[in-house]
Amino acid sequence: MIRVKNLRVPYDDVRPLAEIAAERLNVSPCAVHGVFVVHKALDARRRRGLPIAWVYALNVALDNERAVLGRLRRDADVMPAPMSVPMEIPRVGAVPPHRPVVVGFGPAGIFAAWTLARAGLCPLVLERGQDVDQRTADVARFWQTGVLDPVSNVQFGEGGAGTFSDGKLTARSNDPRMHEIIEAFIAAGAPEEIRSLQKPHIGTDVLRNVVKNLRRTIIRMGGTVRFGAQVTGVELNAERVAALVVNDAERIPADTVFFGIGHSARDTYAMLCAAGIRMEAKAFAVGVRIEHAQAWIDRMQYGAAAGSPQLPVADYAMTYRDEAGGRGVYSFCMCPGGTVVAAASEAGRLVTNGMSNYRRDSGVANSALLVQVSPADWGGTVLGGIDFQRTLEERAFRAGGGDYRAPVQSVGDFLMGKTGARDFAVAPTYAPGVRPADLHEVLPGMCTASLARALRFWEERVPGFGAADVPLTGVESRSSAPCRILRDAARMESVSAVGLYPIGEGAGYAGGIMSAALDGLKAALAFLGKIQ
């Protein structure tokens, strides 16, 4: 097998990849027996007159591979294809007295349980929310009626908060174990293209079935998954985990617990802190959701090629360093062809998020625009970031009218310090609905000042992005965990309690589906290495 890297193919070249690979290697198309896409990325920069192109890394099977490699030995982009070595998960011989417990069934919890189950340890999973089917019905009812279920919502339940998102599977890590996670997603029903795309996504509609199938896989390997099972207490004995309390009623002896609680389990943070588990405040970011017509985003990125069926709907990333305010401002969780969704998990508090289905075909693009905040903004207390978030969410709830309608304001009104505009470039997509309001009454002044300067900056460089009639919907306050549960870097165990493994986004060590899944997998492997 031969690896071909950096193969640029114009976006509108619809020839079979086998023919293109044969041309690149200067062989007959009949000599090519198979082409496997290793990586595929879109280069839409349109620089130096180059057309928009897909850039591939391919594995090519063909006749006389040794001769071809010899002929092209000076070509830095042609080489023998590296061998793929699957990850080994050791099977445990002697089973510990207590089965390991996984708290939370988001990406970190799923892949901790998946790894433990493969090792033969029959993990017990405790999830405070409901299974994905019940959860989907509860969320739909909330969006339609404004009736919130505080234990089954966008934040809590099977699959975690990422289940109601764009389902992005991007991550900064090059850890080879990412491949195992991708393959597990594909085996559970995700599209095979996620194996090679630079910016893979599943979409919330497909992701719901994927997490359900992952649960079935874990159960088939000996695991147990319980829904409606909130961990309300943790017992320690001589700085070791001894037991968990579930729903304030049931005591479960446990000496190994993986806490993948998610970034919104505020009561669990408080419980762990009270139990003596060491934590620290951490920075996060807050802001609003901005929406544009997807066709406009496509034109911004693709120019005259916008609308081509050979191109995906476009995304974007914006950054701004506000020197005057000393804060970073950036776009986050950009959802092409998606909607802004109600993501509250507490009564009387309003939160927004973004979501897309697999096809990304809503016609509207949305993204969070976030301003960095730090522990200094709330006095540095460990749980102060939670109070900071709650204050903003309560303000947003009141500004929206107290019925989970969200406060919305045009960019023009926001910059001029007034409100009332309703003639938006695109109709705000948030359900249960929106109400014109002043977002300056929701976000603190330090954040609105930085956001205003960022919007003016971006409008100068990308005219139309910050146009006067573009809608802003608030408030986005759950971009990441507001605190970190301290753990030993090598063992991945809590520094406060032997046998307690804080994992994923809620522990403060990950940010997104893939990084959280990898964190859960690595923690399970660390435990397996400890007991071998």
Side-chain angles (χ1 to χ4, degrees):
M1 196 83 76
I2 291 178
R3 171 70 55 86
V4 180
K5 300 192 305 182
N6 299 316
L7 178 61
R8 291 184 62 88
V9 179
Y11 76 93
D12 54 355
D13 187 339
V14 296
R15 290 180 297 159
L17 279 177
E19 180 180 338
I20 294 170
E23 180 180 82
R24 172 67 176 81
L25 296 171
N26 195 22
V27 299
S28 166
C30 297
V32 176
H33 302 303
V35 176
F36 307 91
V37 179
V38 177
H39 188 69
K40 179 181 179 182
L42 186 67
D43 184 353
R45 290 173 290 180
R46 293 177 287 144
R47 67 204 189 288
R48 300 192 304 275
L50 290 175
I52 297 172
W54 290 105
V55 182
Y56 288 92
L58 303 176
N59 282 350
V60 184
L62 72 164
D63 295 331
N64 300 315
E65 290 178 2
R66 183 174 298 180
V68 173
L69 288 169
R71 175 167 50 82
L72 299 175
R73 63 186 178 278
R74 300 183 189 280
D75 191 326
D77 289 329
V78 178
M79 65 205 69
M83 295 291 292
S84 177
V85 179
M87 179 184 71
E88 290 189 10
I89 297 178
R91 293 284 297 185
V92 174
V95 178
H98 302 301
R99 65 199 300 197
V101 180
V102 177
V103 180
F105 204 50
I110 287 172
F111 279 91
W114 178 81
T115 305
L116 295 167
R118 286 183 61 180
L121 285 175
C122 303
L124 169 63
V125 178
L126 303 174
E127 166 57 52
R128 68 189 294 167
Q130 297 300 318
D131 68 84
V132 73
D133 291 332
Q134 181 61 54
R135 184 185 180 199
T136 299
D138 295 336
V139 168
R141 182 173 62 253
F142 174 46
W143 291 347
Q144 293 164 6
T145 67
V147 176
L148 172 69
D149 185 334
V151 297
S152 181
N153 47 60
V154 167
Q155 306 297 345
F156 301 142
E158 183 172 21
T163 302
F164 294 90
S165 70
D166 183 64
K168 295 180 183 66
L169 302 182
T170 51
R172 294 186 178 92
S173 174
N174 291 319
D175 192 304
R177 289 167 291 196
M178 287 289 193
H179 172 76
E180 301 292 333
I181 296 169
I182 288 291
E183 291 302 321
F185 277 126
I186 293 172
E192 291 193 9
E193 67 194 29
I194 68 173
R195 188 180 285 129
S196 56
L197 285 176
Q198 181 189 33
K199 296 180 179 180
H201 86 108
I202 297 180
T204 192
D205 50 341
V206 175
L207 190 54
R208 294 170 192 163
N209 285 325
V210 169
V211 299
K212 188 189 309 184
N213 289 332
L214 285 168
R215 183 228 305 166
R216 290 168 175 161
T217 298
I218 291 165
I219 293 171
R220 188 168 61 250
M221 292 188 294
T224 302
V225 181
R226 289 176 53 185
F227 298 106
Q230 180 180 353
V231 172
T232 52
V234 57
E235 295 181 13
L236 305 181
N237 184 2
E239 297 185 340
R240 291 177 174 269
V241 175
L244 300 175
V245 178
V246 177
N247 296 334
D248 292 317
E250 179 186 3
R251 184 181 183 274
I252 299 176
D255 53 21
T256 305
V257 182
F258 296 82
F259 267 90
I261 60 176
H263 59 40
S264 293
R266 294 164 169 173
D267 47 3
T268 308
Y269 283 131
M271 178 272 290
L272 291 172
C273 192
I277 304 301
R278 286 178 56 192
M279 305 163 68
E280 66 180 6
K282 65 177 281 290
F284 54 99
V286 298
V288 298
R289 281 268 155 186
I290 190 169
E291 295 186 89
H292 300 87
Q294 182 63 52
W296 184 86
I297 299 296
D298 292 348
R299 290 194 299 273
M300 177 182 74
Q301 294 289 46
Y302 298 148
S308 168
Q310 277 77 46
L311 289 172
V313 291
D315 60 8
Y316 63 82
M318 303 295 236
T319 61
Y320 173 69
R321 178 62 189 173
D322 181 26
E323 298 297 341
R327 299 174 189 273
V329 189
Y330 58 95
S331 61
F332 173 78
C333 187
M334 193 270 157
C335 297
T339 56
V340 178
V341 300
S345 60
E346 296 178 328
R349 299 184 176 116
L350 187 145
V351 186
T352 65
N353 197 7
M355 185 186 85
S356 301
N357 286 330
Y358 172 70
R359 294 182 63 84
R360 290 175 164 174
D361 56 2
S362 76
V364 180
N366 76 81
S367 177
L369 299 182
L370 300 180
V371 182
Q372 294 172 333
V373 293
S374 72
D377 293 314
W378 57 81
T381 58
V382 172
L383 301 180
I386 293 175
D387 294 333
F388 184 91
Q389 291 174 325
R390 281 173 165 161
T391 296
L392 304 190
E393 294 166 15
E394 289 164 4
R395 291 176 183 173
F397 183 74
R398 292 194 299 269
D403 56 1
Y404 292 103
R405 286 179 297 166
V408 66
Q409 189 173 25
S410 69
V411 169
D413 279 4
F414 177 77
L415 295 178
M416 295 175 63
K418 63 177 187 177
T419 190
R422 294 175 178 268
D423 186 16
F424 298 113
V426 294
T429 58
Y430 173 97
V434 296
R435 178 177 181 267
D438 187 356
L439 293 171
H440 294 82
E441 297 177 358
V442 176
L443 292 165
M446 60 197 180
C447 293
T448 55
S450 292
L451 180 57
R453 286 187 283 267
L455 285 165
R456 292 188 176 101
F457 174 84
W458 292 328
E459 175 62 16
E460 287 178 3
R461 282 151 182 78
V462 186
F465 184 85
D469 58 353
V470 169
L472 304 172
T473 306
V475 62
E476 176 103 2
S477 55
R478 311 275 184 96
S479 61
S480 66
C483 47
R484 179 176 289 114
I485 306 171
L486 299 179
R487 71 186 186 191
D488 179 275
R491 302 195 314 269
M492 300 189 75
E493 279 182 288
S494 164
V495 298
S496 311
V498 175
L500 191 155
Y501 292 82
I503 57 175
E505 193 161 350
Y509 293 95
I513 291 172
M514 288 300 290
S515 62
L518 178 65
D519 202 57
L521 183 151
K522 289 168 62 177
L525 290 176
F527 167 68
L528 293 173
K530 177 181 174 181
I531 65 173
Q532 288 298 308

